[in-house]
């Protein structure tokens, strides 16, 4: 899902727009919630029946992500909405521009491991100004992708040095519509990624279709050590289905693109539609080709001229992806095998160093109640938190005060690339240095 973005959003990911499910519209009126006792069933089937019953009320609604509704606490996972790991330090190793494009593709298929390895879930609704920050200290064990050249033992040994630190910062920058901005930074590798998380969702009666929102133009990755090559990765539509079977699953049947204007290389990825019967195949096909950024309008693999093709990728996006290079007699090479991989653990500031509006601290009482299966208490804590947010919104409106993000310069951006404020840059530098101290401000109190 859209990426890159978010607080404790450890639900499983597929290569789809991230379900930044801060579903909201009018925060001045408390949304209805179903009455739930602490003895309510908590098995997956009872959760699913309750969830489907709520979703049926939204059949025909153009965008349920723009409608405020509050789920009973036992339908939520005990994680806030803004928390997802990004492991992309292998991008930019190759001295070959095709190789670097393939490294971006490798990241694309691995960034969504928690959707591949886990189950779909509904994370907490993010509140305006809620933020999350964390680090990953990652072993640099992925070799460069060098088409037509095998990695030597000497080259491979260079990838096993001390861990590389990646820092992540995200903030809920808008409530109407729900949008969060994110920034991923790895100074040691000269890598940065940024974008906005926003989705649009519609319930059809048998599935929920999720597409990128108007402000979600994808993930933008900058390779500072490669003359600032910038790659834009757009998100395909996804479907959350399995309601009739009683087992939720994510499927993708759409096309998305990766482009780099500097190298003039474009990738078209086509996720194949599943058959009605039989086991899901989760197949994807792709083509890399030379394009003219000013003139290219190609959106289908079959329309790419053969003379412009640089390579192809194919496989199962939940298991193994291979690639071939145009003009080479080499058999398909493995780009990534997802089978043995799992999400990399993140390191967040200790709770005593978190501000009250940091995701894990903000939702800690709800999380504790859910983990102890005190559903009534969890629902009460959740409603109390949401009520405090409505009160703060009313106060700002009464005082004619315009809310502004703390870590990003604007709530949204027409080109989809959020910029950091001075405080945002300081927060990321603090993460890199292991200094988590942040001053409180007017939005800190909950």
């Amino acid at each position: 899902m859209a990426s890159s973005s978010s607080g404790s959003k450890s639900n499983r990911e597929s290569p789809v727009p991230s379900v930044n499910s801060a579903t909201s519209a009018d925060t001045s009126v408390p949304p209805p919630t179903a009455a739930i006792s602490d003895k309510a069933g908590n098995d997956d089937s009872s959760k699913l029946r309750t969830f489907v019953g709520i979703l049926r009320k939204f059949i025909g609604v153009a965008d349920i992500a723009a409608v405020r509704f509050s789920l009973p606490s036992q339908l939520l996972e005990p994680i806030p909405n803004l928390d997802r790991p990004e492991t992309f330090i292998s991008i930019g190793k190759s001295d070959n521009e095709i190789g670097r494009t393939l490294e971006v593709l490798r990241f694309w298929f691995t960034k969504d491991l928690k959707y591949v390895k886990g189950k779909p879930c509904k994370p907490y609704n993010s509140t305006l100004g809620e933020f999350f920050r964390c680090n990953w200290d990652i072993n640099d064990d992925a070799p460069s992708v060098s088409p037509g050249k095998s990695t030597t033992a000497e080259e491979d040994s260079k990838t096993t040095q001390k861990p590389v630190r990646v820092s992540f910062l995200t903030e809920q920058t808008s409530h109407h519509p729900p949008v969060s901005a994110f920034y991923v930074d790895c100074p040691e590798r000269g890598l940065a990624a940024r974008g906005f998380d926003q989705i649009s969702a519609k319930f059809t009666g048998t599935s929920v279709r999720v597409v990128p929102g108007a402000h979600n133009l994808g993930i933008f990755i900058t390779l500072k050590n490669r003359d600032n090559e910038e790659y834009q990765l757009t998100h395909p539509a996804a479907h959350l289905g399995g309601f009739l079977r009683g087992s939720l699953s994510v499927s993708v049947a759409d096309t998305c693109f990766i482009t780099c204007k500097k190298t003039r290389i474009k990738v078209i990825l086509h996720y194949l539609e599943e058959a009605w019967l039989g086991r899901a195949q989760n197949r994807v096909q792709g083509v890399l080709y030379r394009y003219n950024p000013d003139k290219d309008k190609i959106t289908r693999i079959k329309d790419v001229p053969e003379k412009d093709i640089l390579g192809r990728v194919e496989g199962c996006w939940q298991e193994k992806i291979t690639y071939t290079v145009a003009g080479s007699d080499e058999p398909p090479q493995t780009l990534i095998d997802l089978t043995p991989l799992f999400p990399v653990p993140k390191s967040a500031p200790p709770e005593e160093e978190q501000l009250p509006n940091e995701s894990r601290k903000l939702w800690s009482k709800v999380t504790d109640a859910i983990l102890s299966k005190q559903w009534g208490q969890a629902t009460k804590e959740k409603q109390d938190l949401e009520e405090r947010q409505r009160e703060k919104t009313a106060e700002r409106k009464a005082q004619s005060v315009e809310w502004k993000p703390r870590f990003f310069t604007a709530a949204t951006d027409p080109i989809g690339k959020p910029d950091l404020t001075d405080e945002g840059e300081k927060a990321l530098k603090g993460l890199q240095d292991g200094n988590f101290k942040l001053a409180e401000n007017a939005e800190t109190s909950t």
Side-chain angles (χ1 to χ4, degrees):
M1 290 182 184
S3 195
S4 199
S5 86
S6 283
S8 272
K9 185 181 170 185
S10 296
N11 39 339
R12 75 178 197 167
E13 291 191 346
S14 65
V16 299
S18 61
V19 183
N20 184 2
S21 55
T23 50
S24 58
D26 183 6
T27 57
S28 62
V29 179
T33 56
I36 298 295
S37 72
D38 287 345
K39 297 181 180 179
N42 187 43
D43 59 278
D44 286 344
S45 61
S46 64
K47 280 186 177 184
L48 192 56
R49 287 194 297 270
T50 305
F51 189 39
V52 172
I54 293 173
L55 284 177
R56 284 193 180 119
K57 300 177 182 179
F58 295 96
I59 294 178
V61 175
D63 184 6
I64 61 176
V67 178
R68 177 74 182 180
F69 69 99
S70 185
L71 291 175
S73 61
Q74 96 277 23
L75 294 182
L76 301 174
E77 294 296 324
I79 47 178
N81 182 42
L82 297 172
D83 184 349
R84 66 179 184 223
E86 296 288 349
T87 56
F88 71 132
I89 61 172
S90 64
I91 297 174
K93 284 185 177 181
S94 178
D95 292 328
N96 181 294
E97 59 188 19
I98 299 176
R100 292 195 294 277
T101 304
L102 288 167
E103 288 169 351
V104 172
L105 272 167
R106 179 168 60 184
F107 158 75
W108 173 258
F109 289 114
T110 58
K111 76 179 180 62
D112 295 321
L113 277 176
K114 57 192 167 200
Y115 280 109
V116 173
K117 301 294 184 176
K119 64 179 181 179
C121 67
K122 169 68 170 69
Y124 302 155
N125 288 341
S126 298
T127 65
L128 188 63
E130 177 184 342
F131 74 100
F132 179 81
R133 52 187 171 139
C134 69
N135 288 324
W136 290 272
D137 292 307
I138 306 164
N139 290 327
D140 185 10
D141 53 10
S144 65
V145 179
S146 300
K149 175 185 175 183
S150 61
T151 302
T152 65
E154 180 182 359
E155 289 173 326
D156 193 54
S157 68
K158 295 178 182 178
T159 68
T160 57
Q161 307 299 318
K162 66 181 181 66
V164 176
R165 174 160 289 182
V166 176
S167 297
F168 175 71
L169 176 67
T170 184
E171 180 181 18
Q172 189 78 5
T173 56
S174 171
H175 212 46
H176 311 292
V179 179
S180 64
F182 67 89
Y183 202 100
V184 188
D185 196 24
C186 183
E188 186 175 342
R189 288 289 184 265
L191 289 168
R194 55 179 170 163
F196 289 100
D197 270 345
Q198 182 200 9
I199 65 159
S200 175
K202 183 174 182 179
F203 183 56
T204 65
T206 57
S207 67
V208 176
R209 184 173 188 268
V210 181
V211 299
H215 301 290
N216 184 344
L217 302 184
I219 303 171
F220 295 84
I221 301 176
T222 301
L223 282 58
K224 299 176 184 178
N225 296 338
R226 296 291 180 179
D227 196 23
N228 286 316
E229 288 178 2
E230 182 180 74
Y231 294 80
Q232 180 181 5
L233 295 69
T234 67
H235 300 291
H239 287 83
L240 177 63
F243 297 110
L244 299 180
R245 298 192 307 270
S247 176
L248 293 182
S249 61
V250 175
S251 63
V252 186
D254 197 11
T255 300
C256 63
F257 310 95
I258 297 175
T259 53
C260 179
K261 293 182 179 180
K262 189 173 288 290
T263 64
R264 302 171 79 87
I265 294 177
K266 178 177 176 178
V267 180
I268 300 176
L269 288 177
H270 178 52
Y271 291 84
L272 304 183
E273 189 170 359
E274 300 289 351
W276 283 98
L277 300 175
R279 179 178 175 271
Q281 300 297 309
N282 299 310
R283 304 294 297 177
V284 62
Q285 298 175 345
V287 62
L288 293 71
Y289 70 99
R290 192 74 66 183
Y291 84 116
N292 184 332
D294 299 321
K295 297 181 179 180
D296 180 83
K297 295 181 179 179
I298 296 175
T299 60
R300 300 185 301 180
I301 292 176
K302 68 179 184 179
D303 294 333
V304 178
E306 191 67 31
K307 64 180 179 62
D308 295 332
I309 294 177
L310 302 173
R312 296 180 184 272
V313 295
E314 66 175 337
C316 170
W317 56 263
Q318 292 193 353
E319 296 176 6
K320 185 177 180 179
I321 302 293
T322 63
Y323 73 90
T324 56
V325 178
S328 172
D329 295 329
E330 294 287 331
Q333 303 294 307
T334 298
L335 180 63
I336 186 68
D337 184 358
L338 300 172
T339 308
L341 303 181
F342 287 87
V344 176
K346 63 184 69 64
S347 175
E351 188 167 330
E352 62 269 18
E353 295 192 61
Q354 295 181 29
L355 297 184
N357 61 328
E358 288 197 52
S359 290
R360 289 187 174 178
K361 193 164 188 174
L362 178 68
W363 293 94
S364 60
K365 291 183 180 180
V366 180
T367 298
D368 291 344
I370 289 177
L371 292 176
S372 60
K373 299 184 179 181
Q374 297 177 357
W375 311 119
Q377 181 64 25
T379 298
K380 179 182 181 301
E381 295 288 353
K382 176 175 174 291
Q383 290 174 335
D384 287 348
L385 192 154
E386 292 169 343
E387 179 59 29
R388 290 197 296 273
Q389 299 306 311
R390 283 188 286 272
E391 291 172 354
K392 291 173 70 173
T393 299
E395 290 174 5
R396 285 194 297 267
K397 185 176 181 180
Q399 298 171 9
S400 299
V401 174
E402 180 184 1
W403 184 88
K404 293 183 179 180
R406 177 176 183 176
F407 302 109
F408 296 90
T409 59
T412 59
D413 183 89
I415 61 173
K417 295 187 281 189
D419 290 316
L420 294 166
T421 61
D422 289 343
E423 287 202 64
E425 292 179 354
K426 290 177 182 177
L428 278 172
K429 187 177 186 307
L431 284 169
Q432 282 288 314
D433 296 341
N435 178 10
F436 305 122
K437 180 65 176 178
L438 287 178
E440 298 194 20
N441 65 5
E443 284 299 319
T444 297
S445 62
T446 59

XYZ file of all heavy atoms in Angstrom, residues 13-15 87 105-117 271 282 284 315-322 334-343:
325
model
N 1.134 -5.765 4.042
C 1.083 -4.904 2.879
C 1.254 -5.677 1.592
O 2.029 -6.592 1.500
C 2.197 -3.851 2.955
C 1.956 -2.854 4.036
C 2.890 -1.687 3.939
O 3.878 -1.773 3.209
O 2.628 -0.687 4.579
N 0.523 -5.247 0.586
C 0.767 -5.668 -0.778
C 1.158 -4.417 -1.526
O 1.100 -3.345 -0.985
C -0.507 -6.264 -1.373
O -1.479 -5.266 -1.460
N 1.569 -4.485 -2.777
C 2.006 -3.275 -3.461
C 0.822 -2.411 -3.854
O 0.497 -2.254 -5.025
C 2.740 -3.823 -4.684
C 2.140 -5.150 -4.914
C 1.751 -5.677 -3.575
N 12.634 -0.579 3.932
C 14.006 -1.089 3.804
C 14.425 -0.971 2.348
O 13.994 -1.732 1.505
C 14.069 -2.549 4.274
O 13.130 -3.315 3.536
C 13.756 -2.658 5.762
N 12.974 -1.736 -8.263
C 11.934 -2.761 -8.348
C 12.054 -3.763 -7.205
O 11.040 -4.201 -6.640
C 12.041 -3.500 -9.685
C 11.283 -2.893 -10.866
C 11.734 -3.532 -12.170
C 9.787 -3.039 -10.688
N 13.255 -4.134 -6.835
C 13.448 -5.060 -5.719
C 12.869 -4.459 -4.440
O 12.200 -5.130 -3.652
C 14.933 -5.383 -5.552
C 15.219 -6.314 -4.391
C 16.650 -6.843 -4.435
N 17.642 -5.772 -4.362
C 18.952 -5.989 -4.465
N 19.405 -7.215 -4.670
N 19.797 -4.982 -4.393
N 13.140 -3.179 -4.222
C 12.543 -2.490 -3.081
C 11.018 -2.499 -3.176
O 10.312 -2.742 -2.192
C 13.053 -1.046 -3.018
C 12.154 -0.128 -2.243
C 12.118 -0.177 -0.864
C 11.331 0.777 -2.895
C 11.278 0.662 -0.139
C 10.499 1.617 -2.188
C 10.468 1.558 -0.807
N 10.490 -2.234 -4.359
C 9.042 -2.184 -4.552
C 8.373 -3.479 -4.095
O 7.338 -3.451 -3.417
C 8.727 -1.926 -6.025
C 7.276 -2.028 -6.376
C 6.648 -3.070 -6.983
C 6.265 -1.055 -6.106
N 5.311 -2.811 -7.133
C 5.040 -1.573 -6.599
C 6.257 0.202 -5.512
C 3.848 -0.885 -6.509
C 5.060 0.899 -5.424
C 3.873 0.354 -5.919
N 8.960 -4.598 -4.455
C 8.349 -5.880 -4.110
C 8.595 -6.281 -2.655
O 7.849 -7.104 -2.122
C 8.860 -6.977 -5.047
C 8.337 -6.852 -6.455
C 9.194 -6.570 -7.504
C 6.984 -7.005 -6.723
C 8.715 -6.450 -8.809
C 6.490 -6.874 -8.018
C 7.358 -6.604 -9.059
N 9.610 -5.724 -2.002
C 9.891 -6.095 -0.621
C 9.314 -5.114 0.390
O 9.200 -5.442 1.575
C 11.406 -6.193 -0.374
O 12.020 -4.935 -0.676
C 12.021 -7.284 -1.207
N 8.939 -3.932 -0.031
C 8.488 -2.922 0.924
C 7.159 -3.292 1.571
O 6.804 -2.751 2.618
C 8.355 -1.561 0.238
C 7.114 -1.436 -0.642
C 7.007 -0.075 -1.285
C 5.767 0.012 -2.157
N 4.521 -0.151 -1.401
N 6.425 -4.210 0.981
C 5.081 -4.526 1.446
C 4.986 -5.880 2.136
O 3.958 -6.530 2.105
C 4.110 -4.498 0.257
C 3.994 -3.113 -0.339
O 3.987 -2.143 0.435
O 3.918 -2.997 -1.564
N 6.048 -6.298 2.781
C 6.074 -7.636 3.358
C 4.992 -7.877 4.392
O 4.481 -8.977 4.527
C 7.448 -7.891 3.996
C 8.546 -8.339 3.045
C 9.863 -8.462 3.801
C 8.193 -9.659 2.384
N 4.611 -6.845 5.148
C 3.640 -7.123 6.206
C 2.252 -7.406 5.648
O 1.447 -8.049 6.318
C 3.597 -5.991 7.228
C 3.303 -4.636 6.693
C 3.607 -3.624 7.790
C 3.641 -2.221 7.209
N 4.351 -1.293 8.047
N 1.958 -6.958 4.432
C 0.704 -7.369 3.801
C 0.820 -8.779 3.246
O -0.142 -9.523 3.195
C 0.326 -6.413 2.676
C -0.309 -5.151 3.170
C 0.370 -3.947 3.109
C -1.579 -5.173 3.719
C -0.204 -2.790 3.567
C -2.164 -4.014 4.185
C -1.470 -2.821 4.106
O -2.041 -1.676 4.569
N 2.019 -9.137 2.797
C 2.235 -10.472 2.248
C 2.252 -11.515 3.358
O 1.689 -12.600 3.231
C 3.557 -10.507 1.453
C 3.874 -11.932 1.012
C 3.470 -9.582 0.242
N 2.896 -11.193 4.485
C 3.102 -12.166 5.551
C 2.001 -12.170 6.606
O 1.860 -13.136 7.350
C 4.446 -11.895 6.241
C 5.646 -11.966 5.311
C 5.854 -13.371 4.780
C 7.118 -13.448 3.927
N 7.402 -14.812 3.473
N -0.368 -6.222 -12.859
C -0.807 -7.275 -11.953
C -2.013 -7.968 -12.585
O -3.035 -7.322 -12.877
C -1.176 -6.680 -10.588
C 0.021 -6.162 -9.834
C 0.528 -4.885 -10.078
C 0.668 -6.951 -8.891
C 1.642 -4.412 -9.399
C 1.777 -6.491 -8.214
C 2.256 -5.221 -8.472
O 3.360 -4.757 -7.795
N -1.519 -14.550 -7.929
C -0.804 -13.312 -7.581
C 0.338 -13.029 -8.556
O 1.470 -12.732 -8.159
C -0.264 -13.387 -6.152
C -1.366 -13.553 -5.123
O -2.344 -12.822 -5.124
N -1.221 -14.540 -4.245
N 2.451 -11.157 -11.627
C 2.761 -9.821 -12.109
C 3.742 -9.944 -13.269
O 4.607 -10.823 -13.288
C 3.359 -8.943 -10.979
C 4.666 -9.524 -10.459
C 3.549 -7.508 -11.445
N 6.635 -12.945 -12.288
C 6.615 -13.862 -11.157
C 5.390 -13.680 -10.300
O 4.379 -13.106 -10.726
N 5.478 -14.171 -9.084
C 4.411 -14.041 -8.091
C 4.842 -12.992 -7.084
O 5.876 -13.150 -6.427
C 4.169 -15.383 -7.395
S 3.079 -15.284 -5.952
N 4.058 -11.912 -6.942
C 4.500 -10.813 -6.084
C 4.441 -11.159 -4.594
O 4.904 -10.380 -3.758
C 3.724 -9.533 -6.366
C 2.228 -9.593 -6.255
C 1.344 -9.766 -7.288
C 1.437 -9.422 -5.072
N 0.060 -9.735 -6.821
C 0.075 -9.516 -5.462
C 1.723 -9.211 -3.732
C -0.975 -9.403 -4.547
C 0.675 -9.096 -2.818
C -0.645 -9.195 -3.234
N 3.937 -12.333 -4.264
C 3.987 -12.794 -2.876
C 5.086 -13.832 -2.651
O 5.296 -14.264 -1.521
C 2.642 -13.387 -2.467
C 1.527 -12.353 -2.378
C 0.299 -12.880 -1.680
O 0.206 -14.065 -1.370
N -0.653 -12.012 -1.418
N 5.791 -14.200 -3.724
C 6.799 -15.262 -3.584
C 8.116 -14.900 -4.262
O 9.030 -14.433 -3.604
C 6.232 -16.582 -4.129
C 5.034 -17.087 -3.330
C 4.419 -18.339 -3.925
O 4.984 -18.885 -4.896
O 3.360 -18.768 -3.422
N 8.210 -15.058 -5.580
C 9.496 -14.890 -6.256
C 9.327 -14.116 -7.548
O 8.422 -14.375 -8.334
C 10.110 -16.270 -6.542
C 11.511 -16.228 -7.132
C 12.036 -17.651 -7.299
C 13.429 -17.670 -7.876
N 13.952 -19.059 -8.025
N 10.246 -13.153 -7.772
C 10.257 -12.336 -8.984
C 11.586 -12.548 -9.704
O 12.651 -12.535 -9.080
C 10.092 -10.834 -8.656
C 8.790 -10.590 -7.887
C 10.129 -9.995 -9.938
C 7.539 -10.831 -8.677
N 11.539 -12.757 -11.024
C 12.745 -12.903 -11.837
C 12.811 -11.810 -12.888
O 11.811 -11.149 -13.179
C 12.781 -14.274 -12.530
O 11.656 -14.373 -13.434
C 12.718 -15.406 -11.516
N 17.009 -14.343 -10.533
C 16.155 -14.005 -9.399
C 16.398 -12.559 -8.973
O 17.534 -12.185 -8.657
C 16.421 -14.933 -8.208
O 16.104 -16.277 -8.582
C 15.558 -14.528 -7.008
N 15.347 -11.762 -8.969
C 15.430 -10.397 -8.453
C 15.212 -10.400 -6.946
O 15.960 -9.780 -6.195
C 14.395 -9.498 -9.144
C 14.390 -8.034 -8.696
C 15.722 -7.360 -9.034
C 13.233 -7.278 -9.347
N 14.184 -11.110 -6.507
C 13.908 -11.219 -5.083
C 13.056 -12.461 -4.819
O 12.137 -12.761 -5.578
C 13.189 -9.951 -4.534
C 13.038 -10.004 -3.013
C 11.834 -9.753 -5.199
C 14.335 -9.911 -2.266
N 13.389 -13.174 -3.766
C 12.579 -14.300 -3.295
C 12.003 -13.889 -1.948
O 12.733 -13.758 -0.955
C 13.433 -15.556 -3.157
C 12.606 -16.776 -2.763
O 11.377 -16.621 -2.563
O 13.190 -17.866 -2.638
N 10.700 -13.660 -1.910
C 10.051 -13.172 -0.698
C 9.756 -14.271 0.313
O 9.464 -13.973 1.474
C 8.725 -12.479 -1.069
C 8.824 -11.269 -1.999
C 7.434 -10.831 -2.427
C 9.548 -10.136 -1.328
N 9.834 -15.502 -0.125
C 9.390 -16.620 0.724
C 10.027 -16.629 2.114
O 9.321 -16.774 3.113
C 9.646 -17.957 0.013
O 9.070 -17.923 -1.297
C 9.022 -19.101 0.800
N 11.353 -16.453 2.233
C 11.950 -16.528 3.578
C 11.992 -15.197 4.319
O 12.496 -15.128 5.441
C 13.379 -17.008 3.270
C 13.684 -16.388 1.946
C 12.388 -16.363 1.183
N 11.473 -14.138 3.714
C 11.638 -12.802 4.277
C 10.466 -12.389 5.167
O 9.326 -12.767 4.924
C 11.795 -11.773 3.156
C 12.944 -11.998 2.175
C 12.979 -10.875 1.153
C 14.281 -12.102 2.913
N 10.771 -11.584 6.175
C 9.761 -11.017 7.067
C 10.106 -9.550 7.331
O 11.252 -9.139 7.138
C 9.681 -11.794 8.381
C 9.037 -13.143 8.233
C 9.797 -14.249 7.888
C 7.667 -13.287 8.406
C 9.207 -15.495 7.724
C 7.066 -14.526 8.248
C 7.829 -15.628 7.911
N 9.123 -8.758 7.764
C 9.399 -7.346 8.029
C 10.533 -7.160 9.043
O 10.701 -7.951 9.971
C 8.068 -6.825 8.591
C 7.043 -7.739 8.005
C 7.701 -9.083 7.942
